[in-house]
Structures are given as structure tokens and as C-alpha cells.
Amino acid sequence: MIKAGGETVLLYNLNNEKGRKIRFLLVRMGMRIRVVEKEDYGKPLGVLAGMKDVTLEDENAPVEDFDDEMMVLHRFTDKRLDAFTGMRKED
């Protein structure tokens, strides 16, 4: 396992085989993973990533649905990003 650095990865619409492989790599690297469900799409990224200084202002804000796969990376250093993308290429 590669040393963890407090990174968080938000996964959208990756409840499939590709997402399983990505989650496996992220767990191996010791990263925090959050699978974002459709009901959370309207929440600020900072709230979803666990940032303490970000708050949810309007729980009833309209939410637009989408089907594209997406990853949001938080607190990645260049070194850790290179390690993740390098591992992804090997897969």
C-alpha cells in the first residue's frame, strides 16, 4: 500500500465494473472514497469531500440529474496524482 495523504475521491455514476476497479486502486492507495448518490448531486463539493468550512446552504435547491461518469479528486499532491494515474494505466 502507498502512504495515504488525506485525499478524498468523489465518484459519480461509477456503480459498475469500471467503478469497482477504480475503488480497488483507491483502497490500495489508502484514499477516502465517497460514492455520490443522485440525491446528493445538489450538495457542494466541499460538503461531499468533508471540508469543515463548507456548509450546505439550501437543502431544497433544484438538482439536475446526469448520467456521465465522473471523479472529483480532493487534496491530491502531484506525486499522489502521478501514482494514481500510473496505477490506472497498469490496470
Side-chain angles (χ1 to χ4, degrees), residues 10-23 33-39 41 66-71:
L10 306 177
L11 301 175
Y12 293 79
N13 295 317
L14 281 162
N15 295 327
N16 52 29
E17 183 62 20
K18 184 192 309 183
R20 188 195 64 75
K21 290 178 182 179
I22 291 169
R23 286 190 303 279
I33 303 164
R34 175 149 185 196
V35 176
V36 181
E37 303 296 336
K38 291 186 185 291
E39 58 267 13
Y41 284 2
F66 65 95
D67 294 320
D68 297 325
E69 297 170 340
M70 180 171 66
M71 288 192 315

Side-chain angles (χ1 to χ4, degrees), residues 16-70:
N16 52 29
E17 183 62 20
K18 184 192 309 183
R20 188 195 64 75
K21 290 178 182 179
I22 291 169
R23 286 190 303 279
F24 175 79
L25 293 175
L26 296 170
V27 167
R28 275 188 60 201
M29 294 183 73
M31 296 180 188
R32 182 174 168 254
I33 303 164
R34 175 149 185 196
V35 176
V36 181
E37 303 296 336
K38 291 186 185 291
E39 58 267 13
D40 293 328
Y41 284 2
K43 293 182 180 175
L45 293 175
V47 169
L48 296 172
M51 297 172 65
K52 295 181 185 349
D53 58 339
V54 179
T55 59
L56 180 60
E57 293 180 17
D58 183 5
E59 288 189 42
N60 299 318
V63 176
E64 197 168 317
D65 193 11
F66 65 95
D67 294 320
D68 297 325
E69 297 170 340
M70 180 171 66

